[in-house]
Amino acid sequence: MAFGYRYLLEPQENGWWLVRFPGIPEALTEGETEREARASAIDCVIAALEGYLKAGRPLPRQGAGHTGRDRAVLPSLVTAKLAVYETMRGRGWSKLKLAKQLGMPENSIRRLLDLRHASQMRLIDQALAKMNAELSIDLPPVPSPRKAA
């Protein structure tokens, strides 16, 4: 299952649609149409999560396990970067410590944690391995073949 956050979609008196994330009060966006509002939800939640990373705060968990239509599904690379961030926080590692362990400059770790930077997955794997962690990915169940009638 992909990682994402549940949101509420609310029609406004002016005809626009408001998107808010109950688990992330900083994340609010809107759209002139319902479709436009839904489309802006992912960018909105990524922007809010960038604020959490910048402030060194733990990532919000409320609404993260939600399934269904009203969920902003994060891109896989963003999810992987959040795993590095949460592992660093859990281990008490700074960007500088991870950079030294990987033998690279600290600004490389800043880019690795930049949710909008196109980092290489191999660097994410290396960072997690240095912290004795791994990225957990589950494949969806294979549907059983249907019998012909």
Side-chain angles (χ1 to χ4, degrees):
M1 177 172 71
F3 188 73
Y5 284 94
R6 178 175 70 95
Y7 62 82
L8 301 174
L9 187 64
E10 303 168 352
Q12 302 299 294
E13 289 180 13
N14 65 0
W16 284 59
W17 291 81
L18 177 70
V19 175
R20 52 184 191 89
F21 293 81
I24 310 173
E26 302 87 352
L28 289 170
T29 191
E30 62 184 355
E32 193 170 358
T33 64
E34 181 180 348
R35 183 178 182 171
E36 188 179 290
R38 287 183 189 280
S40 67
I42 294 171
D43 189 55
C44 173
V45 77
I46 289 173
L49 293 172
E50 287 173 325
Y52 279 76
L53 270 67
K54 190 172 188 174
R57 295 173 53 196
L59 297 175
R61 299 291 185 184
Q62 182 185 348
H66 178 73
T67 59
R69 182 173 180 211
D70 295 339
R71 182 172 74 119
V73 178
L74 298 176
S76 300
L77 184 58
V78 170
T79 301
K81 288 172 176 255
L82 294 176
V84 171
Y85 172 76
E86 282 289 272
T87 302
M88 286 174 63
R89 279 187 41 77
R91 305 270 195 285
W93 283 37
S94 66
K95 293 176 192 124
L96 183 59
K97 180 173 182 176
L98 182 57
K100 285 182 179 179
Q101 290 292 318
L102 291 171
M104 57 180 52
E106 186 179 3
N107 66 346
S108 296
I109 302 304
R110 283 194 202 105
R111 280 192 303 273
L112 184 68
L113 295 175
D114 179 344
L115 301 183
R116 299 183 193 272
H117 183 267
S119 301
Q120 297 178 4
M121 283 301 294
R122 123 185 114 71
L123 293 175
I124 290 170
D125 290 336
Q126 289 172 356
L128 290 169
K130 284 292 181 184
M131 294 183 286
N132 294 316
E134 57 189 27
L135 186 61
S136 175
I137 299 174
D138 294 326
L139 295 175
V142 177
S144 57
R146 292 184 171 178
K147 293 183 179 180

